[in-house]
Amino acid sequence: MRNKLLNDLVAAMKAQDKEVLSVLRMVKGAMQLEEINLKHELTDDEFIGIISKQIKTRKESIVEFEKASRDDLIVKTKKEIEILNKYLPEQLSDEEVLKVIDEAFNSVNPTSTSDMGKLMGFVTPKLKGKADMSFVSKTIKEKLSNL
């Protein structure tokens, strides 16, 4: 994954694609910072975590841009998210995510909302990078509130 990003970075430089280049440089900087903090080269899971964090940040920005009626920034940020999505594994459908959540409920047998951590601990390794974790968390909270 790391090599794919670096190769795409070089290709964007050659093609003078400023939009892709700026996004990939930002990700490369985040990767290097994380490698310095961890003192080792990133694994694919850690790389996916960085990409997911970048996407989450941009989604939060879109909400703020909508409040300010900044359509120009919304369009730009959505394009950045599209670029970043190329570096994530294929996303699971909502049905597949719900299946994993149901499996977690059957395995953990939660009794109250205090079991949220156990459920998230069960589903996170299976879904991280493959699903929107805020959707997963919200779905689990809803199911717990119906117990």
Side-chain angles (χ1 to χ4, degrees), residues 97-98 100-102 104-105 110 112-113 115-124 127 133-147:
V97 172
L98 292 173
V100 172
I101 291 172
D102 288 340
F105 270 79
S112 69
T113 54
D115 292 324
M116 176 80 179
K118 292 177 188 174
L119 291 164
M120 288 301 290
F122 184 89
V123 299
T124 299
L127 298 177
M133 293 307 287
S134 61
F135 168 75
V136 172
S137 175
K138 187 177 87 173
T139 306
I140 289 175
K141 283 179 186 171
E142 286 173 7
K143 287 189 82 158
L144 281 173
S145 68
N146 292 334
L147 287 180

Side-chain angles (χ1 to χ4, degrees), residues 27 30-31 33-34 37-38 45-61 81 84-85 88 128-129 131 133:
V27 172
M31 281 176 22
L33 184 64
E34 192 67 18
N37 291 339
L38 297 174
D45 285 342
E46 292 166 336
F47 176 79
I48 288 169
I50 288 173
I51 298 293
S52 297
K53 196 179 294 181
Q54 294 282 324
I55 290 172
K56 180 182 180 194
T57 302
R58 283 166 174 77
K59 285 181 178 178
E60 291 168 354
S61 297
I81 290 172
L84 291 170
N85 276 328
L88 287 178
K128 190 167 187 174
M133 293 307 287

Side-chain angles (χ1 to χ4, degrees), residues 45-93:
D45 285 342
E46 292 166 336
F47 176 79
I48 288 169
I50 288 173
I51 298 293
S52 297
K53 196 179 294 181
Q54 294 282 324
I55 290 172
K56 180 182 180 194
T57 302
R58 283 166 174 77
K59 285 181 178 178
E60 291 168 354
S61 297
I62 287 174
V63 170
E64 295 301 316
F65 295 150
E66 286 171 346
K67 289 179 187 173
S69 300
R70 291 294 310 264
D71 295 335
D72 56 328
L73 294 176
I74 292 170
V75 170
K76 179 182 181 280
T77 307
K78 285 183 178 179
K79 286 181 184 172
E80 291 177 358
I81 290 172
E82 285 177 29
I83 294 166
L84 291 170
N85 276 328
K86 295 177 187 171
Y87 299 97
L88 287 178
E90 190 166 328
Q91 299 294 293
L92 297 175
S93 69

Side-chain angles (χ1 to χ4, degrees), residues 18-29:
K18 291 179 182 170
E19 194 173 299
V20 172
L21 191 58
S22 95
V23 172
L24 295 183
R25 280 183 174 157
M26 227 178 298
V27 172
K28 183 181 177 200

